[in-house]
């Protein structure tokens, strides 16, 4: 885990078959995460085609 700009940052890299079912699952996961009040100060996003890996 690295710290940049006073914030802790980490990446999770997943290899998967690009299917609608998987994209829908990730969308539901991010939606549930962002609506949980315990994580109000946490930002999470999914990048299906990251330019820079690690």
């Amino acid at each position: 885990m690295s710290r940049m700009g006073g914030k802790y940052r980490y990446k999770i890299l997943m290899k998967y078959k690009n299917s609608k079912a998987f994209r829908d699952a990730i969308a539901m996961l991010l939606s549930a995460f962002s609506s949980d009040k315990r994580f109000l100060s946490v930002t999470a996003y999914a990048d299906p085609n990251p330019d820079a890996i690690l």
Side-chain angles (χ1 to χ4, degrees), residues 1-4 6-10:
M1 187 179 313
S2 64
R3 187 172 180 178
M4 297 171 62
K7 296 180 181 181
Y8 290 99
R9 298 168 189 236
Y10 61 92

Side-chain angles (χ1 to χ4, degrees), residues 20-35:
K20 181 167 175 19
F22 188 80
R23 289 190 311 270
D24 289 346
I26 293 296
M28 286 179 17
L29 177 69
L30 288 173
S31 177
F33 181 83
S34 66
S35 65

Side-chain angles (χ1 to χ4, degrees), residues 5-45:
K7 296 180 181 181
Y8 290 99
R9 298 168 189 236
Y10 61 92
K11 294 181 182 182
I12 299 172
L13 182 63
M14 298 171 53
K15 185 173 181 177
Y16 63 92
K17 192 175 260 190
N18 189 6
S19 67
K20 181 167 175 19
F22 188 80
R23 289 190 311 270
D24 289 346
I26 293 296
M28 286 179 17
L29 177 69
L30 288 173
S31 177
F33 181 83
S34 66
S35 65
D36 191 324
K37 292 182 182 190
R38 294 176 295 171
F39 305 117
L40 287 176
S41 64
V42 177
T43 302
Y45 66 93

